[in-house]
Amino acid sequence: ISVVNLYPAVQSLPTLASIIQSECLSSNLLALGDIDTSALTQPVRGYRVSTVAAIRGAIEPLQAAWPFDVIQSGYKIVFKPRGGASVATIPASDLDARAAGESPGVSITNAREMDSVLPRRVVVNYLDVTREYDTGTQADERLNTDSVNIRTIEMAIVLNATEALGIVQTLLYLYWLERYDISFSLPSSYNHLEPGDSITVNSDEATYSLRLTGITYTQDGRLECTAKYDAPAIYIRTAIGEEGTSTGRPLTLAGGTYYELMDVPLLLDSL
């Protein structure tokens, strides 16, 4: 069953937090106190869930439109939007934390994905609010690459052209920015860090702005961290899309209205 939540302009729009809460509570496994969506304040015009599937599958399109991380913090599931300020600055002397007796290793590793597997062009299909919720399309591409891949995303979210183009550009930048996998070890003094946190790492070679994607706590208290490059500016959307025109046709009255009772059998015996 397809359900689209449409809200007139005179009413306040629901927030992303309220939609995430509704999806999570429908599992009957989580209570409201088990999740924290307070940071997801973006308004959402409409959103369609067209198939019966895992709750994660219903949340992922929203996560693509308004990037956020889902982490376990204490006894809660926290939904943390990306693009926040750095919460810690790590000097080079704290990198390559190792157990007693271990010989020095590599302070920070940096693995890169091949450019040929990344998308040159990103296309988003969405429900266009200015075209009576007909399917709209926005696209953007990277010109300085030999990649020929096109990534098309079906996004059953009600947007206008400007919002959709901003999402396309953010996703295109993210795909290329996050083609690097960063890993390093930290001492136990950084136990306050969590996945999703933005940090600044001052290594001997360069200064890195990173977003933590995973933390493994070793038996001796060290933190083995994985991260991606972080650039808060890409979440600030400045693109302006060209709005489409309405696809409908104005209705006119051709004449008077007549009420006619039909002498036919009832459709249901109970009527």
Side-chain angles (χ1 to χ4, degrees):
I1 299 175
S2 298
V3 178
V4 179
N5 297 323
L6 304 180
Y7 293 81
V10 296
Q11 296 184 3
S12 59
L13 296 174
T15 62
L16 180 60
S18 64
I19 296 177
I20 297 296
Q21 287 179 3
S22 176
E23 290 294 331
C24 291
L25 297 180
S26 66
S27 68
N28 294 325
L29 299 175
L30 298 173
L32 192 59
D34 297 327
I35 58 177
D36 182 1
T37 60
S38 58
L40 304 180
T41 59
Q42 298 90 336
V44 182
R45 287 194 182 88
Y47 174 54
R48 182 177 67 195
V49 180
S50 57
T51 59
V52 178
I55 294 175
R56 176 176 179 174
I59 292 177
E60 285 177 342
L62 299 170
Q63 192 175 16
W66 298 280
F68 58 86
D69 294 303
V70 185
I71 67 169
Q72 178 184 344
S73 179
Y75 294 97
K76 284 191 174 184
I77 300 175
V78 178
F79 296 80
K80 182 184 299 185
R82 298 183 186 178
S86 175
V87 300
T89 299
I90 300 171
S93 58
D94 285 342
L95 298 174
D96 188 26
R98 54 189 180 275
E102 288 187 357
S103 58
V106 178
S107 61
I108 186 168
T109 62
N110 192 339
R112 172 175 169 167
E113 183 65 87
M114 295 176 59
D115 291 358
S116 59
V117 303
L118 296 172
R120 176 188 181 93
R121 181 178 178 87
V122 174
V123 180
V124 167
N125 297 323
Y126 62 99
L127 304 177
D128 196 337
V129 67
T130 62
R131 300 179 61 243
E132 299 178 349
Y133 307 101
D134 197 4
T135 300
T137 300
Q138 292 293 331
D140 195 15
E141 65 180 298
R142 185 183 181 95
L143 300 179
N144 58 340
T145 177
D146 293 330
S147 174
V148 296
N149 299 323
I150 299 176
R151 185 168 299 180
T152 302
I153 302 172
E154 301 294 334
M155 194 169 288
I157 302 174
V158 179
L159 305 165
N160 60 32
T162 295
E163 293 166 343
L165 183 57
I167 291 171
V168 168
Q169 291 188 349
T170 297
L171 290 176
L172 179 62
Y173 295 152
L174 273 177
Y175 292 145
W176 284 87
L177 179 67
E178 295 186 345
R179 69 187 187 272
Y180 296 92
D181 291 313
I182 316 295
S183 59
F184 50 91
S185 297
L186 297 176
S188 58
S189 56
Y190 292 96
N191 274 333
H192 61 283
L193 295 178
E194 295 179 328
D197 285 343
S198 295
I199 62 173
T200 302
V201 176
N202 295 320
S203 71
D204 294 331
E205 298 82 14
T207 298
Y208 300 95
S209 295
L210 303 176
R211 178 179 59 86
L212 293 173
T213 57
I215 299 177
T216 300
Y217 301 91
T218 63
Q219 292 182 351
D220 55 6
R222 293 177 297 118
L223 285 68
E224 295 181 349
C225 303
T226 58
K228 298 282 190 180
Y229 282 127
D230 189 31
I234 68 176
Y235 301 102
I236 301 175
R237 297 166 180 173
T238 58
I240 299 177
E242 183 177 354
E243 301 292 345
T245 58
S246 174
T247 59
R249 179 178 299 176
L251 300 178
T252 58
L253 293 177
T257 301
Y258 299 94
Y259 176 64
E260 186 76 24
L261 291 176
M262 301 179 65
D263 185 13
V264 296
L266 298 177
L267 298 179
L268 298 175
D269 294 338
S270 58
L271 297 179

